Amino acid sequence: MEENDFKKKRIAAFYKTSSPDIYGLLKTYAKENRDNQTLAEQYLWSELSGNALGHSFRRQHIIGDYIADFVCLNKMLIIEIDGGYHAQPAQIQHDELRTQALNRMGFSVVRYTNEELLNNLPTIVNDIKRILESTQ
């Protein structure tokens, strides 16, 4: 099988992968999240959309029973933008379990805070470019 065919099959494996009983709910939440992006998400999406970095990204994409803020399926890269509540102990633990689950599915997960993104967008975009270049 050619590498391009393998990538297409790998990407196709991440459509409608959630539990059937919650897929509809996740789909509704994902749409609401796309319609109500945070300012930090808007800034990053302006840098990622339209293959701006040479790779296709999706926003608020369902993977398993999770909704990823941004994902490059071809590179198996998830980018999460964390608001202030992600610093709470219970949320830190939840985020770690979520990251471990996504890692088991083959994804790399990178997290940035809203503040990092709003204050250092060019640095973060360069970081994402570096990650994309180093990922098979």
Side-chain angles (χ1 to χ4, degrees):
M1 176 181 307
E2 289 186 33
E3 186 172 338
N4 197 29
D5 291 336
F6 176 76
K7 284 184 178 181
K8 286 180 184 177
K9 287 185 180 200
R10 183 174 69 176
I11 291 168
F14 293 101
Y15 289 94
K16 294 188 179 181
T17 57
S18 73
S19 303
D21 56 328
I22 65 166
Y23 179 77
L25 185 61
L26 290 172
K27 189 173 176 181
T28 298
Y29 286 158
K31 182 180 181 337
E32 287 174 8
N33 290 344
R34 281 190 302 275
D35 291 344
N36 299 294
Q37 291 184 77
T38 66
L39 185 59
E41 290 171 338
Q42 289 174 31
Y43 280 13
L44 185 56
W45 183 239
S46 72
E47 298 291 329
L48 299 177
S49 64
N51 288 339
L53 300 183
H55 298 278
S56 177
F57 277 86
R58 295 174 174 269
R59 60 191 170 119
Q60 302 302 323
H61 184 74
I62 300 168
I63 300 172
D65 291 341
Y66 304 105
I67 301 172
D69 288 339
F70 301 97
V71 62
C72 177
L73 291 171
N74 199 37
K75 292 289 189 169
M76 301 292 285
L77 174 65
I78 293 172
I79 301 170
E80 294 288 340
I81 308 302
D82 294 342
Y85 74 94
H86 286 271
Q88 297 175 2
Q91 189 61 43
I92 290 170
Q93 184 178 13
H94 174 76
D95 288 345
E96 180 57 32
L97 293 172
R98 172 189 165 108
T99 296
Q100 290 172 8
L102 292 166
N103 289 160
R104 283 191 300 275
M105 288 184 232
F107 288 92
S108 296
V109 179
V110 180
R111 292 184 170 278
Y112 301 101
T113 66
N114 285 339
E115 292 76 21
E116 287 175 314
L117 209 133
L118 294 172
N119 294 320
N120 287 316
L121 182 61
T123 301
I124 289 174
V125 170
N126 284 332
D127 188 43
I128 294 168
K129 286 179 186 176
R130 182 189 53 74
I131 294 167
L132 289 167
E133 290 170 3
S134 68
T135 308
Q136 294 294 345

